[in-house]
Amino acid sequence: MKPRSLSRDDIVRLDRAHVWHPYTPVDTWETTAPIVVARADGSSLYDADGTRYLDGNASWWVAALGHGHPRLKRVLRDQVEILAHCALAGIAHEPSSALAEELVRVTPRGLNRVFYSDDGSTAVEVAVKIALQTWQHRGATNKTRFVALDGAFHGDTVGASSLGGIEIFRRPFASVLFDCVRAPFPDESAYERAFEAIGDLVKREHRTIAAVVVEPLVQGAAGMRMYTPEYLRRLREITQAHDVLLIVDEVFTGYGRTGTMFACEQAAVTPDILCLGKALSAFVPMGATLVTDAIYDTFRGGTDRALWYGHTFCGNPIGAALAREVLAIYEDEQIVAKTVSKAKRINAAFDRLGAIPGVARVRTLGMIGAADLEGASGYLGRAGWRVYEEALRRGAYLRPLGDTVYVCPPLVISDDDLDALLTIVTESVRATVGDGRI
Ligand SMILES: *Cc1c(COP(=O)(O)O)cnc(C)c1O
């Protein structure tokens, strides 16, 4: 049977009647005209009305290899024919075992064990539980607290959002979130002070701290806030010296986004636990949590020491097969090396953007460029959304983070598309700050 094909108006009608959208105020949704994406290709999204939009954020930071890569489509089809799903409890299969070996090979040295889950949030949940249980195995039962940074985002399940430091995301759930110790964000000018604060905390309270959790070099959801690799390097030293685990969440920064395959590499750091998601498996949800042998080995020695934890789709063969092909494409097409010249274009464009009156601050790292609009009023600011509307009119999807306007395009975006995207960003910002409405 052919799937029913709906008109654009029907899609919007059914959507408004029944779909609850993520991160979207209900009233706003009901009163604004949505884009209706009918298909996507490369760095472009195509509306059902035929309009093309450049995908300025790689579809929520996922489509590092763009849309519709022919090798990924082929692997998806092939894997469905062979094995679409089976449990991972008591069963091994080729995609998940081969992928584990490949992930161990590409990630920082020393991470030898892979626990699979469903997405970025669960990759973090797994990390939290592994950290807690590891300290129980080691007899340090007081080590139950976590430290995370102001503005952190580690996902939306209850455990992951307990680590989160974005107030508006936490507030409704504060009563059930677990206690997390907050450390200051290492902003450029305040980096030394921020390091001292977390250093003092770790020194003073390491007996009760299970782990420090960070997004390496860039806090994505907080507004593409960037910090120096030096902070991460020193954080690794201080956590190691005081027996505190370091959990690095590369769900966003991994897979070349910051100019190296993993952001940790820029600080020459191996964390105790590494979380992966998003670009990991191209377009099928999947998470992976990598740990050291030292952690894994504490789970030996009896049934009560097992990790009694797992998700239904752990290591699902389709996601794993895609994730393997993603890594093969990175290698064959030299994806990360080829971002160097594109990152320079992003950097130059945002430098120029910084000179526009009304733009408070700009920053770039690898394939990320961000600009804070003046008078920025945080996540609920409206100026970013005016830029969004201007950009839509000019042919780009540029969802802001409050009053931070950013690009984070597919790493494989062509130079022409990238230049077009950067021109749209500039024109849209100019149109917004130029109208005197900020
Ligand atoms: C998106 C994100 C997550 C959560 O991933 P989901 O797949 O949305 O659950 C976790 N950590 C970071 C740093 C992220 O950017």
Side-chain angles (χ1 to χ4, degrees), residues 56 349-350 353 356 369-371 387 390-391 394 396-398 405-407 418-432:
F350 274 78
L353 205 59
I356 298 175
V387 176
E390 294 287 347
R394 291 169 171 81
Y397 172 73
L398 212 68
V405 172
Y406 73 95
V407 296
L418 182 58
D419 289 345
L421 176 67
L422 293 169
T423 301
I424 292 174
V425 174
T426 308
E427 286 177 358
S428 305
V429 168
R430 261 187 216 288
T432 304

Side-chain angles (χ1 to χ4, degrees), residues 61 119-122 124 153-156 215 220-221 249-252 278:
W61 316 349
D119 52 34
S121 301
T122 58
V124 172
F153 180 80
H154 296 290
D156 278 340
E215 295 159 84
D249 174 356
E250 294 245 20
V251 170
F252 168 55
K278 294 199 167 114

